Amino acid sequence: MLSSTAKRVPPMPDPNDPPAIEMTGMNKWYGNFHVLKDINLTVLRGEKLVICGPSGSGKSTMIRCINRLEEHQQGQIVVDGVELTNDLNKIDVIRRDIGMVFQHFNLFPHLTILENLTLAPIWVRRMRREQAEQTAMYYLERVKIPDQAHKYPGQLSGGQQQRVAIARALCMSPKIMLFDEPTSALDPEMVKEVLDAMVALAEDGMTMLCVTHEMGFARQVADRIVFMDKSEIIEMNTPAEFFSHPRHQRSKLFLAQILN
Amino acid sequence: MKALSLPLPAEPMPGQIRFGALRRSARLLFGTPLNAVLTLLFGVLLVATVPPMLRWLVIDAVLFDPSPRACRVATGACWSFIYAKSGQLLFGIYPLDERWRPAIVCMLILALLAWSVRPASWAPRLAALWVAALVLIFWLMAGGFGLTEVPTSSWGGLPVTLILTVVAIGVAFPVGILLALARRSTMPAIRIGAVVLIESVRGLPLLSILFVASIMMPLFLPEALLPDKFVRALVALTIFAAAYLAEVIRGGLQAIPNGQYEAAAALGLPFWRTQYLVILPQAIRVAIPALANTIIVMIKNTSLVLVVGLFDLISSGKAVLADPDWPSPAAETFLFIGAIFFALSFSFARFADFLERRGPTAH
Ligand SMILES: Nc1ncnc2c1ncn2[C@@H]1O[C@H](COP(=O)(O)OP(=O)(O)O)[C@@H](O)[C@H]1O
Ligand SMILES: [Mg+2]
């Protein structure tokens, strides 16, 4: 359960498993603007990556390519053994297995919390309503807001909404979770409750890619830190190495700015 | 919250309250010179108009006397004419012996409308119920299968108005949604098709569309392929309503932030389910006031079919007035017809108001 604060040893990623995500020679342009340059990144099952870098460096664009909210133009992205192409059916199948949490929550304001959580399981996974509601309540308990189930998103605080968004993604039993700056739209006092939910998810062995500047979180859960700048991956390393011995001038500069 | 320690004012006596209210309204009515002048003017206007109006409407009016002679001598309204002619007013030139059929149709439509506004009855089966009811309605009106056949040229009055309104708006609403989505499509052929249709319909007066449907279509189409005049007018009204509703719905769609589409996509919801479950409920809610406005205009637009020779309520009003035995009480007749249109439009406005208040309030 999420509520356990005892530190558990996360299951070690097995390098013999096929990777969860494999990006090779991936390039993307917005018109003439080269927004992702030759991205090569392999994420193993159960691995937790924290992606950081200055604003505008292409972090969001990169993780949004993984569930094809953005389309890449060159290179390969293979998710769970399936290559991302223009085949719409394949994209919807891949999206079911990838959960995403957005900076601005993007809950459905016309539906109650419970309906937000059961919508996709019922209409995409064809789950029976009772079962979907049971699953939804289970995840609401895990993010510690079961008492809000019948409210509307507009009645919840930012931190609560973001935890609902996490629960909504989990209700689809995803194999991979993507987080795009999940705490940067929150008031400071609400950051911790969302990070706690993410830490607990990490302890359960979820494969996670988190764009975040929460370096405490990165130290605690990340297996690797990916540093991006100006459309490229500049450096990739364990948190210990990255924080104590950043190899590149730009990483040093970034760390100095963010840890000051 | 901190408790306030202000002394409570002493409880006023009932008499004081009344006096206070009197003083307040006096200040409101005569407080400034402008207010005083306006109050006086308005008072004069009321005194000048209300008594004669009452005299005409009730005091000097013929209320029950069923003979035309009473109306000839009376100086007030001739309400007995409305009773005497109610059958023809409501059902037009529909054969006398068969009037029970349009009567049932009207009651059926009104009952179904009343049933449909309850949130509890909103389910896919409601649409099925309406389709079944429309089949029944068409059979009752047109006849065949055991009933005497009545051609649409003999239909008239309230059932025509109700059928035109309900079917035109009922079909135009989903068509309007599709047109609005098509106009925002990324596929150029679909988008251009929607733009051409919407803009050409919006660029033409409804009258000219009705004329095209009823007078020009017979010139192009062979007799065998030509739909009935009633159906042609119905299609014209539907297309007209759909184009306007499409633009209103498109306005609602534009209010939906991109994050809603992204969240639905990230959950694996395909296009149509995203529209149906996530986007349209929000877009339509945003657009309710404008939608209600368009629909109320359409309720009254149905009366324009009289120019192509269909007999709606207003045309049957004109027809009953032609009776030489009576003194042709036009004001009474059109007040009565106006009251029916008002009841329909006002009920719809209340329904829209109820929908707007329902559900989560904006945050
Ligand atoms: N839809 C778009 N069209 C054109 N340029 C875009 C679009 N989305 C993002 N960009 C640009 O791409 C760059 C990378 O954006 P993004 O991936 O959001 O950066 P980050 O998440 O690292 O802040 C930015 O310079 C941004 O302005
Ligand atoms: Mg970003």
Side-chain angles (χ1 to χ4, degrees):
Chain A
M1 286 293 286
L2 273 191
S3 52
S4 82
T5 43
K7 194 94 176 113
R8 269 184 291 162
V9 183
M12 279 305 290
D14 183 348
N16 294 325
D17 272 356
I21 302 166
E22 202 167 16
M23 290 188 255
T24 29
M26 196 258 277
N27 282 277
K28 176 173 176 59
W29 287 263
Y30 283 125
N32 288 328
F33 177 51
H34 201 166
V35 61
L36 292 174
K37 291 183 190 158
D38 191 30
I39 302 292
N40 292 288
L41 180 65
T42 302
V43 184
L44 300 181
R45 265 164 227 263
E47 218 181 358
K48 294 111 191 56
L49 259 60
V50 162
I51 300 154
C52 61
S55 167
S57 53
K59 309 178 296 292
S60 298
T61 308
M62 185 180 80
I63 67 164
R64 287 158 62 89
C65 281
I66 295 170
N67 63 354
R68 214 167 179 85
L69 290 183
E70 303 288 349
E71 217 171 289
H72 64 285
Q73 277 103 30
Q74 236 178 50
Q76 253 195 340
I77 304 178
V78 180
V79 177
D80 209 26
V82 183
E83 189 185 345
L84 288 186
T85 60
N86 276 328
D87 183 343
L88 281 176
N89 293 329
K90 231 194 250 174
I91 293 170
D92 277 331
V93 171
I94 287 173
R95 281 174 176 169
R96 284 173 211 178
D97 290 336
I98 304 179
M100 183 154 197
V101 175
F102 301 86
Q103 182 174 358
H104 296 287
F105 331 137
N106 297 353
L107 295 178
F108 305 132
H110 61 302
L111 300 177
T112 64
I113 301 307
L114 193 63
E115 289 165 342
N116 264 276
L117 266 61
T118 56
L119 187 80
I122 290 174
W123 290 89
V124 177
R125 290 243 188 259
R126 296 276 163 214
M127 206 183 266
R128 277 184 304 108
R129 177 171 300 276
E130 309 83 77
Q131 198 195 339
E133 285 180 355
Q134 233 172 357
T135 313
M137 287 313 295
Y138 170 74
Y139 283 111
L140 279 182
E141 258 155 50
R142 289 194 48 166
V143 298
K144 298 181 191 151
I145 33 177
D147 46 331
Q148 311 289 336
H150 297 287
K151 290 194 183 162
Y152 286 95
Q155 297 169 294
L156 268 56
S157 74
Q160 289 174 324
Q161 289 194 50
Q162 194 59 298
R163 284 183 284 155
V164 170
I166 294 172
R168 176 174 72 177
L170 293 177
C171 280
M172 288 293 282
S173 328
K175 296 177 183 154
I176 299 164
M177 284 286 285
L178 308 175
F179 294 84
D180 192 358
E181 306 207 28
T183 56
S184 24
L186 296 177
D187 291 336
E189 75 271 19
M190 294 173 184
V191 169
K192 186 172 178 299
E193 63 193 50
V194 171
L195 289 180
D196 283 349
M198 291 168 64
V199 169
L201 189 60
E203 286 170 355
D204 280 1
M206 176 64 75
T207 308
M208 289 164 70
L209 280 81
C210 313
V211 176
T212 180
H213 292 158
E214 295 292 337
M215 289 303 140
F217 171 80
R219 249 184 243 276
Q220 191 181 350
V221 305
D223 296 309
R224 276 187 294 165
I225 293 192
V226 177
F227 175 70
M228 289 182 76
D229 190 18
K230 303 214 173 81
S231 311
E232 286 177 296
I233 295 182
I234 303 290
E235 183 164 348
M236 207 162 9
N237 218 330
T238 60
E241 277 297 303
F242 180 76
F243 287 119
S244 50
H245 308 291
R247 277 181 299 208
H248 286 261
Q249 198 53 42
R250 284 190 258 176
S251 324
K252 282 178 196 158
L253 201 66
F254 175 76
L255 280 174
Q257 276 167 352
I258 208 152
L259 297 174
N260 65 344
Chain B
M1 222 208 277
K2 214 181 100 198
L4 295 173
S5 54
L6 287 174
L8 284 170
E11 194 132 304
M13 301 298 287
Q16 269 178 311
I17 293 180
R18 231 174 290 140
F19 185 65
L22 208 65
R23 209 166 40 188
R24 259 200 309 282
S25 30
R27 202 181 312 136
L28 208 63
L29 292 172
F30 297 99
T32 67
L34 180 65
N35 276 5
V37 170
L38 286 177
T39 303
L40 284 176
L41 275 180
F42 194 65
V44 170
L45 195 71
L46 282 182
V47 170
T49 54
V50 170
M53 216 191 290
L54 270 181
R55 232 177 292 133
W56 185 81
L57 277 172
V58 187
I59 301 169
D60 294 344
V62 179
L63 292 176
F64 305 107
D65 192 336
S67 77
R69 216 172 313 114
C71 277
R72 283 231 177 75
V73 295
T75 55
C78 174
W79 295 121
S80 58
F81 177 77
I82 305 291
Y83 294 138
K85 295 285 180 185
S86 60
Q88 201 190 336
L89 251 181
L90 289 176
F91 306 122
I93 51 172
Y94 206 87
L96 214 57
D97 295 340
E98 307 288 337
R99 271 194 190 153
W100 59 273
R101 283 155 53 180
I104 291 181
V105 164
C106 291
M107 284 187 285
L108 187 63
I109 292 177
L110 292 175
L112 264 176
L113 284 174
W115 173 265
S116 305
V117 300
R118 299 161 52 248
S121 37
W122 299 344
R125 56 166 199 284
L126 186 65
L129 189 65
W130 269 103
V131 170
L134 285 174
V135 171
L136 181 66
I137 284 166
F138 193 77
W139 174 59
L140 279 169
M141 289 299 290
F145 302 102
L147 289 175
T148 321
E149 286 193 28
V150 179
T152 55
S153 53
S154 303
W155 298 10
L158 185 60
V160 168
T161 296
L162 286 178
I163 293 172
L164 288 176
T165 303
V166 165
V167 178
I169 292 168
V171 177
F173 199 81
V175 173
I177 288 174
L178 293 180
L179 280 176
L181 291 177
R183 192 166 183 171
R184 288 166 54 92
S185 168
T186 49
M187 283 173 265
I190 293 181
R191 189 176 57 243
I192 292 168
V195 170
V196 167
L197 182 70
I198 292 172
E199 294 306 339
S200 33
V201 170
R202 288 207 303 170
L204 292 170
L206 176 55
L207 278 183
S208 65
I209 296 175
L210 281 168
F211 275 125
V212 168
S214 68
I215 296 165
M216 286 173 65
M217 260 174 75
L219 304 179
F220 308 136
L221 282 178
E223 186 87 27
L225 288 178
L226 195 66
D228 183 89
K229 188 158 78 173
F230 186 86
V231 175
R232 277 179 280 154
L234 189 54
V235 170
L237 280 174
T238 306
I239 291 175
F240 189 78
Y244 277 86
L245 290 174
E247 284 300 282
V248 171
I249 291 165
R250 190 167 69 98
L253 287 171
Q254 260 153 2
I256 308 302
N258 228 351
Q260 294 290 303
Y261 292 91
E262 291 180 353
L267 287 166
L269 282 165
F271 176 84
W272 287 110
R273 259 169 259 175
T274 300
Q275 296 300 333
Y276 172 66
L277 297 166
V278 176
I279 306 301
L280 286 170
Q282 296 183 62
I284 289 174
R285 200 184 136 84
V286 171
I288 284 176
L291 281 174
N293 202 31
T294 307
I295 288 174
I296 287 173
V297 169
M298 279 311 296
I299 292 177
K300 289 170 297 183
N301 272 350
T302 55
S303 54
L304 291 176
V305 295
L306 73 94
V307 302
V308 295
L310 290 178
F311 302 106
D312 82 314
L313 265 177
I314 292 189
S315 0
S316 62
K318 283 171 71 179
V320 293
L321 287 173
D323 186 340
D325 289 345
W326 288 80
S328 193
E332 294 83 331
T333 307
F334 288 112
L335 270 178
F336 174 73
I337 291 168
I340 294 180
F341 275 108
F342 180 80
L344 290 176
S345 308
F346 186 71
S347 315
F348 187 78
R350 299 308 308 158
F351 174 58
D353 199 52
F354 157 76
L355 284 184
E356 209 180 330
R357 282 161 204 275
R358 201 172 163 274
T361 42
H363 25 131

